[in-house]
Amino acid sequence: MADTLAKSNQTKRWQEMDAAHHLHPFTQHNELAAIGARVITKAKGVYIYDSEGNRLIDGMAGLWCVQVGYGHEELAEAGYKALQELPFYNAFFQTTHPYVAELSQKLSELTPKGIDRFFFANSGSEGNDSAVKIIRYYWNLKKQPKKKIIISRDKGYHGVTMAAASLSGLTSMHPQADLPLPGFVHIACPDWYGQGGTMSPDDFGLKTARALEDKILELGAENVAAFVAEPIQGAGGLIIPPATYWPEINRICKKYDVLMHVDEVICGFGRTGKWFGSDTYGIDADMMNMAKGLSSGYQPIAAVGLGPKVGDVLFNASEEWSHGFTYSGHPVAAAVALANLDVLQKDRLVEKSGGATGDYFQKKLASLNDHPLVGETRGTGLIGAIELVKNKKTRERFDAAMNVGYRCRVHCFANGLIMRAIGDTMVLSPPLVITEAEIDELIGLARTCIDLIAKDIGVS
């Protein structure tokens, strides 16, 4: 009992420090301070542990990112070695170091064909902010300065910096900072389950893709610089486009000379069953942003990859490129990212995500379709969604005031599962190292928690 009391007292002290001094992302701070933040103290494999000793299976791989699982010694050793040899130096002043040079080479081998030049940042948000500057600079170098409007999608998520949040189509992010900035336009997204009505998925995919062409014609192709999109929309509700969508988008971008910038922050590094979502869906990227799985979240690092259309123009510019961060290509982050990519390759985790492990996960996920609350499950590789609905046949959703998804998430935490709620869409994105037994545990807990919320709202 004494140990339990000591632990509880320590938890309380950490919560008090946190409430007094720490501003959390996407949080109502006074509300959190009243209940106390959950304190996570350690993690191993696919499990995290809180300060009270409770174990939770992490169905979200941190925040879509811990591909190789927690506590991987090879990554820790790579970081420790780099900290001893070169804890920091910058990439300014015509300088490089072995870690960033080798990481650039490695990425050129793994990314889709043609993506072979890389700028490094510290987060997906910084990467997309940098991409916006690259897009504008590219068209200035091409002597087409009017091509500046960037089109992205409703429910898209591209980060929280001023430019990245303007790209994002999650409108709740905009009012507090008077966003979006000028020059950012949004079109419909391919959310067939939520918005497709009676249309077939293929017809709906073509319709939403052609919304891009309609918007380009409305704005004038001479004014449109780029289209920015995630292969699968993550934070917008795990929206998987119909098969007809991406081929039509490829056609439209080529026809009107609009750059295709693909946000691979969530989909990259095996999440969709191939190295990148662009590989999974045949997307012809001129540029791509990647982060999260690049280091499995062990170190902050992001990279913007450029194909020859953009990269050659920037490379051959007869002036200095005025952009960069103190920590661009940080040696420790680059060393850890290299070790992470080595583990992904050595352990064939991408192939497992697109093969036996991913197949088993999708099979078990689909087994939830018999639940009276589940309108649809969907996914690919090791990413999946569960739609909680009022009416399975009509896809009618619950009244937002009922907070069904949020209340289900509360049950998840209380029962040892991390499963994200995006509205009433429950989302899973486990580490790629997850085993079949752990998938059984994860999906079993998901069913338990859906049963609990069904009981709460009187559905049997």
Side-chain angles (χ1 to χ4, degrees):
M1 179 63 73
D3 287 345
T4 302
L5 288 173
K7 189 180 293 181
S8 296
N9 288 337
Q10 180 61 71
T11 297
K12 184 177 179 180
R13 284 195 290 271
W14 282 325
Q15 289 175 330
E16 289 171 348
M17 294 175 195
D18 191 83
H21 306 293
H22 180 202
L23 294 177
H24 289 247
F26 288 91
T27 296
Q28 185 174 331
H29 293 96
N30 54 8
E31 181 180 79
L32 178 61
I35 61 174
R38 181 177 296 103
V39 182
I40 303 302
T41 55
K42 64 178 182 178
K44 185 68 176 176
V46 300
Y47 297 98
I48 63 171
Y49 300 81
D50 68 18
S51 56
E52 296 298 293
N54 298 306
R55 188 184 82 166
L56 300 93
I57 188 167
D58 187 2
M60 281 303 300
L63 202 56
W64 322 84
C65 58
V66 188
Q67 316 294 66
V68 302
Y70 295 98
H72 210 296
E73 291 186 3
E74 289 182 45
L75 276 65
E77 289 168 358
Y80 178 60
K81 183 173 181 286
L83 281 165
Q84 290 180 307
E85 293 180 350
L86 186 66
F88 172 70
Y89 201 70
N90 62 74
F92 289 64
F93 317 126
Q94 300 181 336
T95 301
T96 193
H97 54 76
Y99 303 108
V100 76
E102 292 178 14
L103 180 58
S104 301
Q105 172 64 33
K106 174 65 78 173
L107 285 174
S108 73
E109 298 167 1
L110 298 176
T111 49
K113 185 178 179 180
I115 303 292
D116 63 358
R117 289 191 174 94
F118 302 91
F119 170 76
F120 292 95
N122 308 291
S123 69
S125 294
E126 283 187 5
N128 278 323
D129 209 277
S130 300
V132 169
K133 292 180 73 174
I134 290 169
I135 290 164
R136 291 185 171 190
Y137 183 40
Y138 168 81
W139 288 115
N140 286 340
L141 288 171
K142 294 288 287 182
K143 302 190 184 309
Q144 297 187 61
K146 290 176 62 179
K147 281 180 84 74
K148 291 292 165 61
I149 298 173
I150 299 177
I151 300 173
S152 54
R153 301 181 297 186
D154 297 339
K155 299 186 181 180
Y157 181 75
H158 302 289
V160 296
T161 57
M162 294 292 279
S166 295
L167 283 174
S168 297
L170 297 174
T171 55
S172 61
M173 295 170 57
H174 293 160
Q176 293 176 353
D178 304 319
L179 297 175
L181 297 171
F184 295 89
V185 174
H186 300 88
I187 59 171
C189 65
D191 180 10
W192 175 81
Y193 189 82
Q195 300 172 0
T198 60
M199 295 184 72
S200 72
D202 282 353
D203 287 346
F204 185 73
L206 287 173
K207 176 187 175 183
T208 49
R210 288 169 184 165
L212 174 60
E213 187 165 32
D214 293 342
K215 184 58 68 173
I216 291 169
L217 293 172
E218 175 191 331
L219 298 168
E222 71 279 6
N223 298 313
V224 178
F227 177 60
V228 178
E230 306 151 270
I232 293 174
Q233 291 178 250
L238 202 76
I239 298 167
I240 300 177
T244 53
Y245 182 80
W246 278 114
E248 186 69 356
I249 291 290
N250 286 335
R251 179 192 70 79
I252 293 165
C253 286
K254 286 182 173 64
K255 179 178 179 180
Y256 296 101
D257 196 16
V258 169
L259 295 177
M260 171 81 79
H261 174 56
V262 183
D263 186 341
E264 291 273 6
V265 169
I266 287 174
C267 294
F269 304 100
R271 180 58 55 194
T272 65
K274 294 189 177 180
W275 274 96
F276 293 92
S278 295
D279 298 322
T280 302
Y281 295 105
I283 305 170
D284 297 333
D286 296 304
M287 305 167 51
M288 56 191 292
N289 187 34
M290 61 205 89
K292 294 189 184 290
L294 175 56
S295 71
S296 281
Y298 279 52
Q299 285 284 292
I301 187 168
V304 181
L306 305 180
K309 180 173 181 175
V310 178
D312 288 354
V313 171
L314 265 68
F315 184 82
N316 291 310
S318 57
E319 63 183 32
E320 178 179 282
W321 183 36
S322 302
H323 182 66
F325 305 107
T326 299
Y327 302 126
S328 293
H330 191 288
V332 178
V336 171
L338 273 168
N340 175 66
L341 297 178
D342 285 344
V343 169
L344 287 171
Q345 287 185 300
K346 175 172 60 71
D347 294 346
R348 298 183 61 79
L349 294 179
V350 176
E351 290 82 356
K352 290 176 181 178
S353 174
T357 305
D359 289 347
Y360 190 78
F361 173 73
Q362 294 299 330
K363 177 183 175 182
K364 297 299 289 188
L365 181 70
S367 71
L368 297 172
N369 282 314
D370 65 359
H371 197 284
L373 229 58
V374 175
E376 177 186 70
T377 62
R378 59 179 177 271
T380 184
L382 282 167
I383 191 168
I386 306 160
E387 294 283 2
L388 303 182
V389 295
K390 184 176 181 180
N391 188 308
K392 291 167 72 82
K393 290 183 179 179
T394 65
R395 309 201 293 269
E396 180 186 358
R397 296 186 182 275
F398 290 101
D399 189 294
M402 292 181 68
N403 291 316
V404 170
Y406 173 80
R407 291 161 66 186
C408 183
R409 189 187 73 173
V410 171
H411 283 303
C412 290
F413 278 118
N415 286 275
L417 170 64
I418 307 295
M419 182 164 65
R420 184 172 177 176
I422 302 172
D424 292 343
T425 305
M426 308 306 296
V427 176
L428 291 166
S429 173
L432 306 191
V433 296
I434 194 167
T435 65
E436 289 189 359
E438 290 163 345
I439 291 171
D440 289 343
E441 178 186 356
L442 184 153
I443 299 299
L445 287 170
R447 182 177 287 275
T448 295
C449 296
I450 296 169
D451 283 343
L452 289 170
I453 187 61
K455 183 179 179 181
D456 290 347
I457 62 176
V459 175
S460 59

